[in-house]
Amino acid sequence: MRLIICKNYSEVSCWAANYIAARINTFAPCPAKPFVLGLPTGSSPLGIYRELRGLYEKKHISFANVITFNMDEYVGLDAGHPQSYRRFMMENLFDYIDIDKRNIHILNGMAEDLTAECRAYEESIQACGGIELFLGGMGSDGHIAFNEPASSLHSRTRVKTLTRDTKIANARFFGGDPDKVPSTALTVGVGTVMDAREVLIIVSGHGKARALHAVIEEGVNHLWTLSCLQMHQRAIIVCDEDATDELKVGTVRYFKEIENSASERKG
């Protein structure tokens, strides 16, 4: 696991966006070999999406041969709902880049058969050759997507009941009222994320510090679902200084020294 420590959220977003762009460009996707990218929603990736739009405008990246799979969607919200994740993605990224809309995959929270919808989503990922890079954020309780604490680390895309803590955290998007947040959602599983050939997680703010400590310095634990990254062969966490407040001084120094040494070798 790599831990990239930046000064603030702005630098986290810039680093992550440039890394994604470099991965896509190095991959050199084409119609016969598309780059498959997993994407999150919420507050965490907003800065990255802004940076990616800027890179596209400057012609530093193209999404013409990129296929995307989003992590989750609320059950009961149609695509036009102001808080649906499909609308979020269109307004914050997809409407501004050259992605083929047929290459966009987002779970349908209005599907008549939600179990079949989840199964078909997993099958679509496999049909595309699997996800090359999965971008994600982390909840203050260490969860990824809607895989709440105690989710199976082998879980697949499924219907998930949301905890009160998650509804409170997301209430800011629903007029501050947790009771207006849907109680269930469709989400990729922990196992789905772990199947990606690379996972890139962004973490910012002191409110995520306790979870980051658990994910990095403690053992693999289904109560901190993102701790599964300890078992991934190619995982990167990009965080700001505030998010490291609960890490040991030696841990922070260790990861900074590794990245500094890598930069010196490249230089």
Side-chain angles (χ1 to χ4, degrees), residues 122-183:
E122 288 278 342
E123 291 171 353
S124 294
I125 292 173
Q126 294 306 311
C128 290
I131 293 174
E132 186 68 26
L133 172 64
F134 221 136
L135 172 67
M138 180 185 73
S140 58
D141 57 5
H143 76 261
I144 183 170
F146 277 128
N147 294 289
E148 308 280 21
S151 293
S152 167
L153 300 186
H154 293 285
S155 56
R156 313 305 303 188
T157 302
R158 67 206 186 285
V159 183
K160 196 73 175 67
T161 300
L162 306 185
T163 65
R164 184 66 177 174
D165 284 347
T166 293
K167 294 182 70 172
I168 290 173
N170 290 351
R172 65 190 186 280
F173 302 115
F174 292 83
D177 185 355
D179 292 328
K180 292 182 179 179
V181 180
S183 296

Short mmCIF file of all heavy atoms in Angstrom, two decimals, residues 122-183:
data_model
loop_
_atom_site.label_atom_id
_atom_site.label_comp_id
_atom_site.label_asym_id
_atom_site.label_seq_id
_atom_site.Cartn_x
_atom_site.Cartn_y
_atom_site.Cartn_z
N GLU A 122 -22.62 -6.75 -11.93
CA GLU A 122 -21.40 -7.54 -11.79
C GLU A 122 -21.03 -8.19 -13.11
O GLU A 122 -19.86 -8.21 -13.50
CB GLU A 122 -21.59 -8.61 -10.71
CG GLU A 122 -21.64 -8.09 -9.29
CD GLU A 122 -20.26 -7.84 -8.69
OE1 GLU A 122 -19.27 -8.37 -9.23
OE2 GLU A 122 -20.19 -7.10 -7.69
N GLU A 123 -22.03 -8.69 -13.82
CA GLU A 123 -21.77 -9.34 -15.10
C GLU A 123 -21.26 -8.35 -16.13
O GLU A 123 -20.38 -8.68 -16.95
CB GLU A 123 -23.06 -10.02 -15.59
CG GLU A 123 -23.47 -11.22 -14.73
CD GLU A 123 -24.85 -11.75 -15.08
OE1 GLU A 123 -25.54 -11.09 -15.91
OE2 GLU A 123 -25.24 -12.80 -14.54
N SER A 124 -21.77 -7.11 -16.09
CA SER A 124 -21.31 -6.09 -17.02
C SER A 124 -19.84 -5.73 -16.78
O SER A 124 -19.08 -5.52 -17.72
CB SER A 124 -22.18 -4.83 -16.90
OG SER A 124 -23.50 -5.08 -17.32
N ILE A 125 -19.47 -5.65 -15.51
CA ILE A 125 -18.08 -5.37 -15.17
C ILE A 125 -17.16 -6.45 -15.75
O ILE A 125 -16.14 -6.17 -16.36
CB ILE A 125 -17.89 -5.25 -13.64
CG1 ILE A 125 -18.60 -4.00 -13.11
CG2 ILE A 125 -16.40 -5.22 -13.28
CD1 ILE A 125 -18.60 -3.89 -11.59
N GLN A 126 -17.56 -7.70 -15.54
CA GLN A 126 -16.75 -8.81 -16.04
C GLN A 126 -16.70 -8.81 -17.57
O GLN A 126 -15.66 -9.10 -18.17
CB GLN A 126 -17.32 -10.13 -15.53
CG GLN A 126 -17.21 -10.30 -14.02
CD GLN A 126 -15.80 -10.11 -13.51
OE1 GLN A 126 -14.86 -10.70 -14.04
NE2 GLN A 126 -15.64 -9.30 -12.47
N ALA A 127 -17.83 -8.48 -18.20
CA ALA A 127 -17.88 -8.46 -19.67
C ALA A 127 -16.94 -7.41 -20.25
O ALA A 127 -16.46 -7.56 -21.39
CB ALA A 127 -19.31 -8.22 -20.14
N CYS A 128 -16.66 -6.36 -19.47
CA CYS A 128 -15.75 -5.30 -19.93
C CYS A 128 -14.29 -5.62 -19.60
O CYS A 128 -13.40 -4.82 -19.88
CB CYS A 128 -16.14 -3.97 -19.29
SG CYS A 128 -17.69 -3.29 -19.91
N GLY A 129 -14.05 -6.76 -19.01
CA GLY A 129 -12.69 -7.16 -18.69
C GLY A 129 -12.24 -6.81 -17.28
O GLY A 129 -11.06 -6.94 -16.95
N GLY A 130 -13.17 -6.35 -16.44
CA GLY A 130 -12.82 -5.97 -15.07
C GLY A 130 -12.39 -4.52 -14.99
O GLY A 130 -12.07 -3.89 -16.01
N ILE A 131 -12.39 -3.99 -13.79
CA ILE A 131 -12.06 -2.58 -13.59
C ILE A 131 -10.56 -2.40 -13.44
O ILE A 131 -9.91 -3.06 -12.63
CB ILE A 131 -12.81 -2.03 -12.36
CG1 ILE A 131 -14.32 -2.01 -12.66
CG2 ILE A 131 -12.31 -0.63 -11.98
CD1 ILE A 131 -15.18 -1.61 -11.49
N GLU A 132 -10.00 -1.50 -14.24
CA GLU A 132 -8.57 -1.23 -14.21
C GLU A 132 -8.20 -0.40 -12.99
O GLU A 132 -7.21 -0.69 -12.30
CB GLU A 132 -8.16 -0.48 -15.49
CG GLU A 132 -6.67 -0.28 -15.65
CD GLU A 132 -5.91 -1.56 -15.89
OE1 GLU A 132 -6.52 -2.54 -16.41
OE2 GLU A 132 -4.71 -1.60 -15.56
N LEU A 133 -8.96 0.64 -12.73
CA LEU A 133 -8.70 1.52 -11.58
C LEU A 133 -10.02 1.90 -10.94
O LEU A 133 -10.92 2.38 -11.62
CB LEU A 133 -7.96 2.78 -12.04
CG LEU A 133 -7.78 3.91 -11.01
CD1 LEU A 133 -6.90 3.45 -9.86
CD2 LEU A 133 -7.20 5.15 -11.66
N PHE A 134 -10.11 1.68 -9.63
CA PHE A 134 -11.32 2.06 -8.89
C PHE A 134 -10.96 3.22 -7.98
O PHE A 134 -10.14 3.09 -7.08
CB PHE A 134 -11.85 0.89 -8.06
CG PHE A 134 -13.35 0.76 -8.09
CD1 PHE A 134 -13.95 -0.48 -8.25
CD2 PHE A 134 -14.16 1.88 -7.99
CE1 PHE A 134 -15.33 -0.61 -8.29
CE2 PHE A 134 -15.54 1.77 -8.02
CZ PHE A 134 -16.13 0.52 -8.18
N LEU A 135 -11.57 4.38 -8.24
CA LEU A 135 -11.42 5.54 -7.38
C LEU A 135 -12.50 5.49 -6.31
O LEU A 135 -13.64 5.14 -6.60
CB LEU A 135 -11.56 6.82 -8.21
CG LEU A 135 -11.62 8.15 -7.44
CD1 LEU A 135 -10.29 8.45 -6.75
CD2 LEU A 135 -12.03 9.28 -8.38
N GLY A 136 -12.15 5.86 -5.08
CA GLY A 136 -13.15 5.85 -4.02
C GLY A 136 -12.82 6.83 -2.91
O GLY A 136 -11.70 7.34 -2.84
N GLY A 137 -13.79 7.08 -2.07
CA GLY A 137 -13.59 7.87 -0.87
C GLY A 137 -13.74 6.96 0.34
O GLY A 137 -13.98 5.76 0.20
N MET A 138 -13.62 7.53 1.53
CA MET A 138 -13.77 6.75 2.75
C MET A 138 -14.68 7.48 3.72
O MET A 138 -14.52 8.68 3.96
CB MET A 138 -12.41 6.50 3.41
CG MET A 138 -12.51 5.67 4.70
SD MET A 138 -10.93 5.48 5.56
CE MET A 138 -10.69 7.15 6.24
N GLY A 139 -15.63 6.77 4.30
CA GLY A 139 -16.49 7.36 5.31
C GLY A 139 -15.75 7.53 6.63
O GLY A 139 -14.68 6.94 6.85
N SER A 140 -16.31 8.32 7.52
CA SER A 140 -15.67 8.55 8.81
C SER A 140 -15.62 7.31 9.68
O SER A 140 -14.87 7.25 10.66
CB SER A 140 -16.39 9.68 9.57
OG SER A 140 -17.76 9.35 9.77
N ASP A 141 -16.40 6.29 9.32
CA ASP A 141 -16.35 5.01 10.03
C ASP A 141 -15.58 3.96 9.23
O ASP A 141 -15.64 2.77 9.52
CB ASP A 141 -17.76 4.50 10.36
CG ASP A 141 -18.63 4.34 9.11
OD1 ASP A 141 -18.11 4.54 7.99
OD2 ASP A 141 -19.83 4.03 9.26
N GLY A 142 -14.85 4.41 8.22
CA GLY A 142 -13.98 3.51 7.46
C GLY A 142 -14.68 2.73 6.37
O GLY A 142 -14.08 1.80 5.82
N HIS A 143 -15.91 3.10 6.02
CA HIS A 143 -16.59 2.33 4.98
C HIS A 143 -16.25 2.87 3.60
O HIS A 143 -15.83 4.01 3.45
CB HIS A 143 -18.11 2.33 5.20
CG HIS A 143 -18.80 3.60 4.83
ND1 HIS A 143 -19.16 4.56 5.75
CD2 HIS A 143 -19.21 4.09 3.63
CE1 HIS A 143 -19.76 5.57 5.15
NE2 HIS A 143 -19.80 5.30 3.84
N ILE A 144 -16.46 2.03 2.60
CA ILE A 144 -16.27 2.41 1.20
C ILE A 144 -17.56 2.11 0.46
O ILE A 144 -18.21 1.08 0.72
CB ILE A 144 -15.08 1.67 0.56
CG1 ILE A 144 -14.88 2.15 -0.89
CG2 ILE A 144 -15.24 0.17 0.63
CD1 ILE A 144 -13.60 1.65 -1.53
N ALA A 145 -17.94 2.99 -0.48
CA ALA A 145 -19.25 2.93 -1.13
C ALA A 145 -20.29 2.89 -0.01
O ALA A 145 -20.17 3.63 0.95
CB ALA A 145 -19.32 1.74 -2.08
N PHE A 146 -21.29 2.01 -0.11
CA PHE A 146 -22.26 1.87 0.99
C PHE A 146 -22.03 0.57 1.75
O PHE A 146 -22.97 -0.02 2.29
CB PHE A 146 -23.69 1.95 0.46
CG PHE A 146 -24.18 3.36 0.26
CD1 PHE A 146 -24.74 3.75 -0.95
CD2 PHE A 146 -24.09 4.30 1.27
CE1 PHE A 146 -25.20 5.04 -1.15
CE2 PHE A 146 -24.54 5.61 1.09
CZ PHE A 146 -25.10 5.98 -0.13
N ASN A 147 -20.79 0.12 1.79
CA ASN A 147 -20.44 -1.07 2.56
C ASN A 147 -20.21 -0.65 4.01
O ASN A 147 -19.08 -0.36 4.42
CB ASN A 147 -19.21 -1.74 1.96
CG ASN A 147 -19.48 -2.30 0.58
OD1 ASN A 147 -20.19 -3.29 0.44
ND2 ASN A 147 -18.94 -1.65 -0.44
N GLU A 148 -21.29 -0.62 4.77
CA GLU A 148 -21.26 -0.16 6.15
C GLU A 148 -20.39 -1.08 7.01
O GLU A 148 -20.07 -2.21 6.62
CB GLU A 148 -22.69 -0.13 6.70
CG GLU A 148 -23.69 0.64 5.85
CD GLU A 148 -23.60 2.13 6.04
OE1 GLU A 148 -22.56 2.63 6.49
OE2 GLU A 148 -24.59 2.81 5.73
N PRO A 149 -19.99 -0.62 8.20
CA PRO A 149 -19.24 -1.49 9.11
C PRO A 149 -19.93 -2.84 9.30
O PRO A 149 -21.16 -2.90 9.42
CB PRO A 149 -19.21 -0.68 10.41
CG PRO A 149 -19.24 0.74 9.95
CD PRO A 149 -20.17 0.74 8.76
N ALA A 150 -19.13 -3.89 9.30
CA ALA A 150 -19.57 -5.29 9.44
C ALA A 150 -19.99 -5.90 8.12
O ALA A 150 -20.44 -7.04 8.07
CB ALA A 150 -20.68 -5.46 10.48
N SER A 151 -19.83 -5.15 7.00
CA SER A 151 -20.07 -5.75 5.69
C SER A 151 -19.03 -6.83 5.42
O SER A 151 -17.88 -6.71 5.84
CB SER A 151 -19.98 -4.68 4.59
OG SER A 151 -21.01 -3.74 4.69
N SER A 152 -19.43 -7.85 4.72
CA SER A 152 -18.50 -8.91 4.36
C SER A 152 -17.41 -8.35 3.44
O SER A 152 -17.70 -7.60 2.51
CB SER A 152 -19.23 -10.05 3.65
OG SER A 152 -18.31 -10.93 3.04
N LEU A 153 -16.18 -8.73 3.71
CA LEU A 153 -15.08 -8.28 2.86
C LEU A 153 -15.05 -9.02 1.53
O LEU A 153 -14.25 -8.70 0.66
CB LEU A 153 -13.75 -8.45 3.60
CG LEU A 153 -13.62 -7.66 4.91
CD1 LEU A 153 -12.21 -7.81 5.48
CD2 LEU A 153 -13.97 -6.19 4.72
N HIS A 154 -15.95 -9.99 1.36
CA HIS A 154 -16.08 -10.70 0.08
C HIS A 154 -17.38 -10.33 -0.63
O HIS A 154 -17.74 -10.97 -1.62
CB HIS A 154 -16.04 -12.22 0.31
CG HIS A 154 -14.71 -12.72 0.79
ND1 HIS A 154 -13.61 -12.84 -0.02
CD2 HIS A 154 -14.30 -13.11 2.03
CE1 HIS A 154 -12.58 -13.29 0.68
NE2 HIS A 154 -12.97 -13.46 1.93
N SER A 155 -18.08 -9.31 -0.14
CA SER A 155 -19.40 -8.97 -0.66
C SER A 155 -19.34 -8.51 -2.11
O SER A 155 -18.33 -7.99 -2.58
CB SER A 155 -20.03 -7.88 0.21
OG SER A 155 -19.19 -6.74 0.28
N ARG A 156 -20.45 -8.72 -2.80
CA ARG A 156 -20.60 -8.30 -4.19
C ARG A 156 -21.69 -7.22 -4.26
O ARG A 156 -22.30 -6.86 -3.27
CB ARG A 156 -20.97 -9.48 -5.09
CG ARG A 156 -20.16 -10.74 -4.89
CD ARG A 156 -18.67 -10.55 -5.03
NE ARG A 156 -18.27 -9.97 -6.31
CZ ARG A 156 -17.00 -9.87 -6.69
NH1 ARG A 156 -16.01 -10.27 -5.89
NH2 ARG A 156 -16.70 -9.33 -7.86
N THR A 157 -21.95 -6.72 -5.46
CA THR A 157 -22.97 -5.69 -5.65
C THR A 157 -24.32 -6.20 -5.14
O THR A 157 -24.74 -7.31 -5.48
CB THR A 157 -23.08 -5.32 -7.14
OG1 THR A 157 -21.81 -4.87 -7.59
CG2 THR A 157 -24.10 -4.22 -7.35
N ARG A 158 -24.98 -5.38 -4.32
CA ARG A 158 -26.19 -5.84 -3.64
C ARG A 158 -27.00 -4.66 -3.12
O ARG A 158 -26.57 -3.51 -3.18
CB ARG A 158 -25.82 -6.75 -2.47
CG ARG A 158 -25.10 -6.03 -1.35
CD ARG A 158 -24.23 -6.99 -0.56
NE ARG A 158 -23.62 -6.38 0.61
CZ ARG A 158 -22.61 -5.53 0.58
NH1 ARG A 158 -22.11 -5.12 -0.56
NH2 ARG A 158 -22.11 -5.04 1.71
N VAL A 159 -28.18 -4.97 -2.56
CA VAL A 159 -29.00 -3.98 -1.87
C VAL A 159 -28.48 -3.88 -0.44
O VAL A 159 -28.23 -4.89 0.22
CB VAL A 159 -30.48 -4.41 -1.84
CG1 VAL A 159 -31.33 -3.32 -1.17
CG2 VAL A 159 -30.98 -4.69 -3.25
N LYS A 160 -28.31 -2.64 0.06
CA LYS A 160 -27.74 -2.45 1.40
C LYS A 160 -28.60 -1.47 2.18
O LYS A 160 -28.96 -0.40 1.70
CB LYS A 160 -26.31 -1.92 1.30
CG LYS A 160 -25.52 -2.05 2.59
CD LYS A 160 -25.12 -3.48 2.85
CE LYS A 160 -24.21 -3.62 4.07
NZ LYS A 160 -24.87 -3.29 5.34
N THR A 161 -28.92 -1.84 3.43
CA THR A 161 -29.61 -0.93 4.33
C THR A 161 -28.60 0.05 4.92
O THR A 161 -27.53 -0.36 5.37
CB THR A 161 -30.30 -1.72 5.47
OG1 THR A 161 -31.25 -2.63 4.90
CG2 THR A 161 -31.03 -0.77 6.42
N LEU A 162 -28.94 1.33 4.91
CA LEU A 162 -28.02 2.35 5.39
C LEU A 162 -28.18 2.58 6.89
O LEU A 162 -29.29 2.60 7.41
CB LEU A 162 -28.25 3.67 4.63
CG LEU A 162 -28.20 3.58 3.11
CD1 LEU A 162 -28.33 4.96 2.50
CD2 LEU A 162 -26.91 2.91 2.65
N THR A 163 -27.06 2.77 7.57
CA THR A 163 -27.09 3.03 9.01
C THR A 163 -27.56 4.47 9.28
O THR A 163 -27.53 5.33 8.40
CB THR A 163 -25.70 2.86 9.64
OG1 THR A 163 -24.82 3.86 9.11
CG2 THR A 163 -25.14 1.47 9.35
N ARG A 164 -27.96 4.69 10.51
CA ARG A 164 -28.37 6.04 10.89
C ARG A 164 -27.21 7.02 10.73
O ARG A 164 -27.41 8.17 10.31
CB ARG A 164 -28.85 6.03 12.36
CG ARG A 164 -29.39 7.38 12.86
CD ARG A 164 -30.66 7.77 12.15
NE ARG A 164 -31.21 9.02 12.68
CZ ARG A 164 -32.25 9.65 12.16
NH1 ARG A 164 -32.86 9.15 11.10
NH2 ARG A 164 -32.69 10.78 12.68
N ASP A 165 -25.99 6.58 11.05
CA ASP A 165 -24.82 7.46 10.91
C ASP A 165 -24.63 7.90 9.47
O ASP A 165 -24.32 9.07 9.19
CB ASP A 165 -23.55 6.75 11.41
CG ASP A 165 -23.47 6.68 12.92
OD1 ASP A 165 -24.27 7.38 13.58
OD2 ASP A 165 -22.63 5.93 13.44
N THR A 166 -24.81 6.98 8.53
CA THR A 166 -24.66 7.32 7.12
C THR A 166 -25.75 8.28 6.68
O THR A 166 -25.49 9.24 5.93
CB THR A 166 -24.68 6.04 6.25
OG1 THR A 166 -23.52 5.26 6.55
CG2 THR A 166 -24.68 6.38 4.77
N LYS A 167 -26.96 8.06 7.15
CA LYS A 167 -28.06 8.95 6.78
C LYS A 167 -27.84 10.35 7.35
O LYS A 167 -28.13 11.35 6.69
CB LYS A 167 -29.40 8.37 7.26
CG LYS A 167 -29.77 7.07 6.56
CD LYS A 167 -31.11 6.53 7.02
CE LYS A 167 -32.25 7.40 6.52
NZ LYS A 167 -33.58 6.81 6.80
N ILE A 168 -27.29 10.42 8.55
CA ILE A 168 -26.98 11.73 9.14
C ILE A 168 -25.88 12.41 8.33
O ILE A 168 -25.94 13.62 8.04
CB ILE A 168 -26.55 11.56 10.62
CG1 ILE A 168 -27.76 11.17 11.46
CG2 ILE A 168 -25.94 12.86 11.15
CD1 ILE A 168 -27.42 10.80 12.89
N ALA A 169 -24.86 11.65 7.94
CA ALA A 169 -23.74 12.21 7.17
C ALA A 169 -24.21 12.74 5.82
O ALA A 169 -23.69 13.74 5.31
CB ALA A 169 -22.65 11.16 6.98
N ASN A 170 -25.21 12.07 5.22
CA ASN A 170 -25.69 12.46 3.90
C ASN A 170 -26.89 13.42 3.95
O ASN A 170 -27.37 13.86 2.90
CB ASN A 170 -26.07 11.23 3.09
CG ASN A 170 -24.86 10.41 2.67
OD1 ASN A 170 -23.73 10.85 2.84
ND2 ASN A 170 -25.08 9.23 2.14
N ALA A 171 -27.33 13.74 5.16
CA ALA A 171 -28.50 14.61 5.30
C ALA A 171 -28.25 16.00 4.72
O ALA A 171 -29.20 16.69 4.32
CB ALA A 171 -28.89 14.73 6.78
N ARG A 172 -26.97 16.42 4.64
CA ARG A 172 -26.67 17.74 4.11
C ARG A 172 -27.12 17.89 2.66
O ARG A 172 -27.33 19.00 2.18
CB ARG A 172 -25.16 18.02 4.22
CG ARG A 172 -24.27 17.12 3.39
CD ARG A 172 -22.81 17.33 3.76
NE ARG A 172 -21.87 16.61 2.92
CZ ARG A 172 -21.58 15.32 3.08
NH1 ARG A 172 -22.16 14.62 4.04
NH2 ARG A 172 -20.69 14.73 2.29
N PHE A 173 -27.29 16.77 1.96
CA PHE A 173 -27.77 16.81 0.59
C PHE A 173 -29.30 16.77 0.50
O PHE A 173 -29.87 16.90 -0.57
CB PHE A 173 -27.21 15.62 -0.21
CG PHE A 173 -25.71 15.57 -0.23
CD1 PHE A 173 -25.02 14.54 0.37
CD2 PHE A 173 -24.98 16.57 -0.85
CE1 PHE A 173 -23.63 14.48 0.36
CE2 PHE A 173 -23.59 16.53 -0.88
CZ PHE A 173 -22.91 15.49 -0.27
N PHE A 174 -29.94 16.55 1.65
CA PHE A 174 -31.40 16.42 1.69
C PHE A 174 -32.00 17.43 2.67
O PHE A 174 -32.87 17.11 3.47
CB PHE A 174 -31.79 15.00 2.10
CG PHE A 174 -31.46 13.95 1.07
CD1 PHE A 174 -30.19 13.41 1.00
CD2 PHE A 174 -32.41 13.52 0.16
CE1 PHE A 174 -29.87 12.44 0.06
CE2 PHE A 174 -32.10 12.54 -0.80
CZ PHE A 174 -30.83 12.01 -0.85
N GLY A 175 -31.50 18.65 2.59
CA GLY A 175 -32.04 19.72 3.42
C GLY A 175 -31.75 19.57 4.90
O GLY A 175 -32.44 20.16 5.74
N GLY A 176 -30.73 18.77 5.23
CA GLY A 176 -30.34 18.59 6.63
C GLY A 176 -31.20 17.61 7.40
O GLY A 176 -31.02 17.44 8.61
N ASP A 177 -32.11 16.92 6.73
CA ASP A 177 -33.03 16.00 7.40
C ASP A 177 -32.66 14.55 7.10
O ASP A 177 -32.88 14.07 5.98
CB ASP A 177 -34.47 16.27 6.93
CG ASP A 177 -35.50 15.44 7.69
OD1 ASP A 177 -35.10 14.60 8.50
OD2 ASP A 177 -36.70 15.66 7.45
N PRO A 178 -32.11 13.81 8.07
CA PRO A 178 -31.72 12.42 7.84
C PRO A 178 -32.89 11.53 7.40
O PRO A 178 -32.69 10.55 6.69
CB PRO A 178 -31.18 11.96 9.20
CG PRO A 178 -30.79 13.22 9.90
CD PRO A 178 -31.79 14.25 9.44
N ASP A 179 -34.10 11.90 7.84
CA ASP A 179 -35.26 11.07 7.48
C ASP A 179 -35.63 11.17 6.01
O ASP A 179 -36.40 10.35 5.49
CB ASP A 179 -36.47 11.47 8.34
CG ASP A 179 -36.27 11.11 9.81
OD1 ASP A 179 -35.58 10.10 10.08
OD2 ASP A 179 -36.77 11.84 10.68
N LYS A 180 -35.09 12.17 5.32
CA LYS A 180 -35.34 12.29 3.88
C LYS A 180 -34.34 11.51 3.05
O LYS A 180 -34.52 11.35 1.85
CB LYS A 180 -35.31 13.76 3.48
CG LYS A 180 -36.49 14.58 4.04
CD LYS A 180 -36.44 16.02 3.55
CE LYS A 180 -37.62 16.82 4.09
NZ LYS A 180 -37.57 18.23 3.64
N VAL A 181 -33.28 11.02 3.69
CA VAL A 181 -32.28 10.20 3.00
C VAL A 181 -32.86 8.80 2.82
O VAL A 181 -33.36 8.21 3.78
CB VAL A 181 -30.97 10.12 3.80
CG1 VAL A 181 -29.94 9.27 3.05
CG2 VAL A 181 -30.42 11.52 4.07
N PRO A 182 -32.83 8.25 1.62
CA PRO A 182 -33.34 6.88 1.42
C PRO A 182 -32.68 5.90 2.39
O PRO A 182 -31.51 6.05 2.77
CB PRO A 182 -32.95 6.56 -0.03
CG PRO A 182 -32.93 7.90 -0.69
CD PRO A 182 -32.37 8.85 0.35
N SER A 183 -33.45 4.91 2.82
CA SER A 183 -32.96 3.95 3.81
C SER A 183 -32.17 2.80 3.20
O SER A 183 -31.48 2.07 3.92
CB SER A 183 -34.14 3.38 4.62
OG SER A 183 -34.76 4.41 5.35
#
